[in-house]
Amino acid sequence: MSDLEVIVEPGRQDIVVRRTFDAPRDVVFRAMTEPEHLARWWGLAETETVVDRLELRPGGTWRFVEKGPDGREDAFRGVFHDVVAPERFVQTFEYEGMPGHVAMETHALEEDGGRTRYTSVSVFQSVEDRDGMVRSGMETGLRQSLDALEELAGSLT
Amino acid sequence: MSDLEVIVEPGRQDIVVRRTFDAPRDVVFRAMTEPEHLARWWGLAETETVVDRLELRPGGTWRFVEKGPDGREDAFRGVFHDVVAPERFVQTFEYEGMPGHVAMETHALEEDGGRTRYTSVSVFQSVEDRDGMVRSGMETGLRQSLDALEELAGSLT
């Protein structure tokens, strides 16, 4: 069991995620931001993630395609704002199936004696957008993918 | 008097701005996004705005410098996410004096019989960040700059 916390307060338009990873910060940062690693943990367990683009710099764009076992493809994209390796990156996030609904995500990593404390804040354009993301079952997917990230980070140390 | 509305609800992390401009939508969009026009209305009345960068495309970056009458310089920067001319653009916004505090802004324009209805939604990473922006006197600056934008748009038609 991880210590994953997903904080969704009523009436707000953000989702705060906290989790500790049993791996050093620089390794977690690499697992989160390098295409060959990211493709292995991002998304649901039963889907395959293809990293179409990942330009890790302010103004760089990213696009990932999730391929389901039934052949369905869902694409996600965004733009990087700030990148301060291995501490923090800020990016926008948009599901191509719902264009115009953009969230902004801040991902922060703190070193804690060989372990890493991760905090993400995702802010949505409205409470409705935020609640829609929660209803889509994001917590299940997040739990799976962050567990897979920890396992991968363990293999990189 | 303009019909400017600045909506700041307690405990939320967004600021919604609405205003009608007495100019067609394509002209307002140009005034908002073309460097030579933008420098003339953006910022406070007593400051000079220098557009250091304005790359209007997804992943394009922008940076504006405000020069005060006392020689003080304040810089602002961000990244464009979506650009759907002349309807909408999404960008991040950061004051270089407070790095890491990033807001995401959606600017939308609707045509209304030769006039333009403008709505912006700015979402901040926290309620505290939002409230700090409000306390900085943003409404005064916004009123001045959107009045100047309308005047400029009138000269472009």
Side-chain angles (χ1 to χ4, degrees):
Chain A
M1 282 292 290
S2 74
D3 63 353
L4 178 69
E5 285 180 273
V6 178
I7 302 161
V8 180
E9 291 185 15
R12 287 177 59 102
Q13 61 218 79
D14 63 4
I15 300 173
V16 177
V17 173
R18 293 205 182 93
R19 191 192 195 284
T20 307
F21 293 108
D22 193 12
R25 180 167 72 165
D26 60 327
V27 173
V28 175
F29 192 88
R30 285 175 50 213
M32 285 191 166
T33 58
E34 294 181 4
E36 67 274 30
H37 303 316
L38 191 132
R40 292 176 56 196
W41 65 265
W42 206 85
L44 297 170
E46 71 267 24
T47 61
E48 181 199 355
T49 300
V50 176
V51 176
D52 180 24
R53 248 186 349 267
L54 199 172
E55 303 158 345
L56 188 70
R57 54 175 169 75
T61 61
W62 64 267
R63 183 173 187 271
F64 308 154
V65 181
E66 284 280 286
K67 300 190 178 185
D70 57 357
R72 178 184 167 134
E73 296 197 355
D74 290 295
F76 303 85
R77 67 189 178 87
V79 175
F80 289 104
H81 176 97
D82 249 6
V83 179
V84 185
E87 281 179 38
R88 174 164 62 83
F89 59 100
V90 176
Q91 64 180 24
T92 56
F93 176 99
E94 185 176 6
Y95 169 43
E96 290 187 358
M98 286 182 62
H101 295 265
V102 184
M104 190 180 73
E105 305 179 340
T106 304
H107 299 268
L109 299 174
E110 290 172 90
E111 182 92 50
D112 184 14
R115 293 164 60 89
T116 302
R117 275 183 289 151
Y118 167 64
T119 306
S120 79
V121 179
S122 300
V123 289
F124 296 79
Q125 289 158 311
S126 65
V127 177
E128 296 67 37
D129 274 12
R130 197 268 318 248
D131 291 349
M133 174 62 94
V134 173
R135 276 196 307 274
S136 77
M138 58 87 70
E139 184 164 345
T140 306
L142 191 68
R143 184 173 295 279
Q144 284 179 6
S145 57
L146 296 184
D147 286 352
L149 168 59
E150 180 166 70
E151 196 179 324
L152 174 68
S155 77
L156 297 177
T157 49
Chain B
M1 282 293 291
S2 75
D3 63 353
L4 179 69
E5 285 180 272
V6 179
I7 302 161
V8 180
E9 291 185 15
R12 287 175 59 100
Q13 62 219 80
D14 64 5
I15 300 173
V16 177
V17 173
R18 294 205 182 91
R19 192 193 194 284
T20 307
F21 293 107
D22 192 13
R25 180 166 73 164
D26 60 327
V27 172
V28 175
F29 191 87
R30 284 175 50 213
M32 285 192 167
T33 57
E34 294 180 4
E36 67 274 29
H37 303 315
L38 190 131
R40 292 175 56 196
W41 65 264
W42 206 85
L44 296 170
E46 71 267 24
T47 62
E48 181 200 353
T49 299
V50 176
V51 176
D52 180 26
R53 250 191 341 273
L54 199 172
E55 303 158 344
L56 189 70
R57 53 175 171 73
T61 61
W62 64 267
R63 183 172 186 272
F64 308 153
V65 181
E66 283 281 286
K67 299 188 177 185
D70 57 356
R72 178 185 167 133
E73 296 197 354
D74 289 296
F76 302 85
R77 67 189 177 86
V79 174
F80 289 104
H81 177 98
D82 249 5
V83 179
V84 184
E87 281 179 36
R88 173 164 63 82
F89 58 100
V90 176
Q91 64 179 25
T92 56
F93 176 100
E94 185 176 6
Y95 169 44
E96 290 187 358
M98 287 182 62
H101 295 265
V102 184
M104 190 180 74
E105 305 179 340
T106 304
H107 300 268
L109 299 173
E110 290 170 273
E111 183 93 50
D112 183 14
R115 293 164 61 89
T116 302
R117 276 182 287 151
Y118 167 64
T119 306
S120 79
V121 179
S122 299
V123 289
F124 296 79
Q125 289 158 311
S126 65
V127 178
E128 296 68 37
D129 275 12
R130 197 268 319 245
D131 290 350
M133 174 62 94
V134 173
R135 276 195 309 273
S136 77
M138 58 85 71
E139 185 165 344
T140 306
L142 192 67
R143 184 174 296 278
Q144 285 179 7
S145 58
L146 296 184
D147 286 353
L149 169 59
E150 180 166 72
E151 197 179 324
L152 174 68
S155 77
L156 297 177
T157 48

